[in-house]
Amino acid sequence: MKYGVIGTGYWGSNHARVAAELAGEGELDGVVLCDVDEERAEELASSYGVEYTTDYTELATMGVDAVTVATPSPTHHEIATNLLRDGVNTLVEKPLALNSEDAWDMVEIAEEEDCVLGVGHIFRYHPALSDLKERIDRGELGEIKYMNTARFSFRVPRATAGALYSLAVHDIDISNYLLKDKPRSVYCNLDSFVRDDVDETATVVLGYDDATSVINESWQVPVHGKRRDLTVVGTEKAAYIDYLEDTVVELYDSRVRRDDGDLRAKSEGKQVYETENKEPLKVEVSEFVEACRTGGEPRAPGRVGAETVELLELCEESSNEERVVQTD
């Protein structure tokens, strides 16, 4: 299988490295890099000894079977739909598109052309989160009641995308992934003080049938350094992940029980588990390549990306109208 990487900026260059590694390990037959900046594309391609082009429409004729699209979000729909129409399996970085109409259009075209469409929700491949997902599915935590996520840093907000589409997109998907459900209600508040119309802080509350997920994202919190963590509370145990520690899962043996008619909080300590460290991006691309070979489905298929974009739109609606929105 010949693989293409479109976009060789910061994240695209990581995709280029992973594709070159997979080719070196025999998982891919060849790699082609693509960027409108010919100098950058040529330099990166030369460093890996692979082909390059400045025109993504040439990839199909160059024998490329599957690609990663790591270009700016506004270009995702046009590039991906053209590639899918050419029969090229496509992995699109998150968000899949900037509106749900475009996102679902990509999903439909992939189905029409019998192509695999994946979306780069990379935290589905985070080692600690993958371990926690297995524990939740086995019932170790009991029924999940509450989740809380924080992603804080201090920086100038991006000019092109706010905290909702840059940060909360991850945690909205993670909530659905861990709970194997979609929320029934959405509440969101977006703050834009530094740049007009670019939210630097997003607060999201997702209401599920039996659980609540609270998501806090901000580029304007200087007190933690860089903070990325997740707490999951179940009826039997609670779990904590610091995403910056890739392989560590903490389980807290704590619950509320009724004892002789009285409610008592019992806490019996915590256990710390360490899982195998695998690079999330490499696992993501490798699984996508395998899905292309077998006609299977990646861990984050296109419809997951489209559903997440729909929820991002409902978050914007909630913030604009200052109300809880039902998802129907």
Side-chain angles (χ1 to χ4, degrees), residues 3-244:
Y3 201 85
V5 176
I6 306 172
T8 58
Y10 168 71
W11 197 238
S13 64
N14 286 323
H15 273 281
R17 171 185 56 79
V18 164
E21 290 175 1
L22 291 175
E25 294 166 8
E27 285 196 44
L28 296 173
D29 300 320
V31 176
V32 182
L33 306 184
C34 177
D35 200 293
V36 292
D37 185 331
E38 183 170 8
E39 182 178 351
R40 185 166 64 189
E42 182 180 17
E43 181 180 358
L44 192 61
S46 176
S47 70
Y48 292 121
V50 301
E51 298 176 79
Y52 80 91
T53 179
T54 59
D55 184 356
Y56 76 88
T57 63
E58 295 179 349
L59 292 173
T61 59
M62 295 174 72
V64 169
D65 306 290
V67 301
T68 289
V69 177
T71 57
S73 299
T75 67
H76 286 180
H77 177 258
E78 179 181 353
I79 293 174
T81 53
N82 285 333
L83 289 165
L84 292 167
R85 291 293 190 198
D86 284 339
V88 179
N89 302 296
T90 305
L91 172 64
V92 182
E93 267 306 327
K94 62 83 187 169
L96 183 61
L98 291 181
N99 63 74
S100 57
E101 182 178 354
D102 284 351
W104 284 114
D105 184 50
M106 294 155 72
V107 173
E108 290 173 7
I109 291 173
E111 292 175 352
E112 291 171 5
E113 301 298 333
D114 197 24
C115 288
V116 177
L117 174 64
V119 61
H121 285 305
I122 194 164
F123 278 87
R124 289 191 174 215
Y125 302 88
H126 187 281
L129 188 73
S130 296
D131 182 84
L132 176 57
K133 167 71 170 169
E134 292 177 1
R135 295 178 185 279
I136 290 173
D137 289 349
R138 287 198 299 265
E140 287 187 36
L141 278 69
E143 296 296 320
I144 304 304
K145 303 185 294 182
Y146 176 72
M147 298 170 58
N148 182 280
T149 299
R151 290 179 191 264
F152 295 145
S153 62
F154 185 66
R155 51 166 288 181
V156 175
R158 297 175 182 174
T160 55
L164 180 66
Y165 275 77
S166 299
L167 302 177
V169 59
H170 290 298
D171 298 306
I172 290 172
D173 175 60
I174 288 169
S175 298
N176 290 347
Y177 181 54
L178 293 182
L179 294 171
K180 294 193 288 189
D181 198 5
K182 288 179 281 188
R184 305 297 180 258
S185 65
V186 174
Y187 172 76
C188 177
N189 184 77
L190 302 175
D191 294 313
S192 304
F193 294 105
V194 179
R195 292 185 184 274
D196 291 339
D197 300 323
V198 177
D199 49 283
E200 72 265 5
T201 298
T203 304
V204 179
V205 180
L206 303 177
Y208 296 82
D209 281 341
D210 299 307
T212 301
S213 178
V214 179
I215 296 168
N216 300 282
E217 322 278 16
S218 183
W219 287 315
Q220 294 297 291
V221 178
V223 301
H224 299 289
K226 185 177 183 180
R227 175 180 170 186
R228 292 181 175 181
D229 58 20
L230 167 69
T231 301
V232 180
V233 179
T235 55
E236 298 299 323
K237 293 182 180 181
Y240 175 78
I241 289 176
D242 181 346
Y243 286 119
L244 301 180

Side-chain angles (χ1 to χ4, degrees), residues 252-324:
Y252 292 78
D253 196 0
S254 305
R255 67 194 71 81
V256 173
R257 287 286 185 266
R258 188 174 295 277
D259 187 3
D260 294 330
D262 296 325
L263 292 174
R264 300 183 186 277
K266 294 185 178 181
S267 184
E268 299 176 3
K270 73 173 182 178
Q271 301 84 40
V272 179
Y273 300 93
E274 189 159 356
T275 188
E276 185 179 0
N277 193 9
K278 296 181 179 179
E279 183 187 359
L281 182 60
K282 193 168 184 179
V283 177
E284 177 185 68
V285 175
S286 182
E287 284 194 8
F288 174 69
V289 168
E290 183 62 20
C292 294
R293 284 202 180 98
T294 63
E297 188 172 79
R299 204 176 302 187
R303 71 171 184 281
V304 162
E307 289 166 354
T308 304
V309 173
E310 282 187 339
L311 289 172
L312 292 172
E313 289 179 332
L314 291 177
C315 286
E316 291 177 307
E317 179 183 336
S318 172
S319 181
N320 291 336
E321 299 183 5
E322 299 182 343
R323 67 181 181 90
V324 174

